[in-house]
């Protein structure tokens, strides 16, 4: 259940630092509910804004609370939920906590927006010929020769928009995006239907060959 998972994600914070009955899991749940409200269908599938601001009344927090630690735990909860659900974020998931006297005590408010930027990679495509690698950061990635791709492969046999890589529910999937020269995983042709892959698998986009490695 979501509540149990959020409890695990925020177990680094103690309920003792809160007043008025607010618990870290309640705040994490508020951020996730906001993400559920703003999720939309992007070009590569489900997508959310990456930058969330949580506003609380000062009386909801103890004076000695470590705001940085709270923000780090809530950011981790957001990032893990996005990975579990396969949400593309377009930038590093971030949660900022602000105290505001205009907010009703016990009723935190949450806003969201987009701030593009580098995302800590969860994996890599390691080139099998010629060296080099590509970072895999977002949960939904477009692979191809085009400059607008998340993973840009400079190979004439790789299509401008060649394939998609998706991370969700603890797994990784690859799907061809209608490329001219095809996509393979461990020698097997990959079609438009997602094909599950894992660490150490060999992926070929046209003639560009890679090994999938996890961070």
């Amino acid at each position: 259940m979501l509540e149990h998972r959020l409890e695990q994600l925020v177990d680094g914070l103690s309920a003792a630092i809160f007043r008025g009955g607010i618990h870290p899991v309640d705040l994490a749940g508020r951020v996730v509910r906001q993400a559920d409200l703003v999720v939309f269908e992007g070009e590569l599938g489900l997508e959310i804004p990456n930058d969330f601001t949580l506003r609380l009344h000062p009386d909801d927090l103890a004076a000695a609370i470590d705001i940085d630690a709270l923000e780090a735990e809530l950011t981790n909860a957001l990032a893990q939920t996005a990975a579990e659900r396969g949400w593309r974020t377009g930038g590093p998931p971030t949660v900022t906590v602000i105290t505001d006297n205009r907010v009703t005590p016990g009723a935190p408010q949450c806003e969201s927006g987009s701030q593009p930027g580098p995302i800590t990679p969860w994996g890599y495509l390691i080139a099998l010929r010629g060296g080099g690698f590509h970072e895999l950061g977002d949960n939904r990635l477009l692979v191809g020769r085009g400059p607008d791709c998340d993973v840009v492969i400079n190979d004439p046999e790789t299509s401008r928009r060649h394939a998609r890589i998706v991370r969700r529910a603890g797994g990784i999937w690859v799907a061809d995006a209608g490329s001219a020269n095809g996509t393979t995983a461990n020698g097997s042709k990959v079609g438009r239907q997602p094909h599950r892959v894992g660490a150490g698998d060999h992926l070929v986009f046209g003639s560009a060959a890679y090994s999938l490695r996890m961070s």
Side-chain angles (χ1 to χ4, degrees), residues 26-211:
D26 298 322
L27 299 181
R30 180 66 185 87
V31 172
V32 171
R33 287 195 299 275
Q34 177 66 18
D36 278 324
L37 289 173
V38 296
V39 66
F40 64 95
E41 187 74 26
E43 180 185 2
L44 299 180
L46 296 179
E47 188 169 347
I48 61 167
N50 67 299
D51 190 40
F52 288 71
T53 300
L54 191 63
R55 298 181 183 275
L56 303 94
H57 193 277
D59 288 346
D60 289 331
L61 300 180
I65 183 175
D66 186 338
I67 295 293
D68 290 340
L70 175 60
E71 290 178 336
E73 292 289 347
L74 296 177
T75 294
N76 183 48
L78 175 62
Q80 292 296 322
T81 301
E84 179 70 20
R85 299 186 181 183
W87 289 339
R88 179 178 170 88
T89 60
T94 304
V95 179
T96 302
V97 176
I98 296 176
T99 55
D100 188 337
N101 285 304
R102 296 169 296 180
V103 177
T104 301
Q109 299 177 0
C110 192
E111 307 161 356
S112 57
S114 295
Q115 293 290 338
I119 304 174
T120 300
W122 52 264
Y124 301 87
L125 291 178
I126 309 296
L128 297 180
R129 296 187 295 270
F133 64 91
H134 297 283
E135 294 182 349
L136 304 176
D138 217 326
N139 299 310
R140 291 179 180 268
L141 299 157
L142 181 62
V143 180
R145 199 177 71 252
D148 59 332
C149 291
D150 301 292
V151 177
V152 179
I153 297 177
N154 295 314
D155 185 284
E157 294 190 28
T158 301
S159 296
R160 289 182 60 82
R161 304 167 77 79
H162 196 103
R164 297 181 176 88
I165 297 175
V166 176
R167 178 177 69 147
R168 60 176 172 81
I172 305 165
W173 282 263
V174 175
D176 191 80
S179 66
N181 295 309
T183 301
T184 65
N186 297 325
S188 298
K189 184 177 180 179
V190 175
R192 289 182 178 272
Q193 291 300 315
H195 178 90
R196 187 162 186 170
V197 296
D201 285 354
H202 288 182
L203 306 177
V204 182
F205 308 99
S207 64
Y210 296 89
S211 175

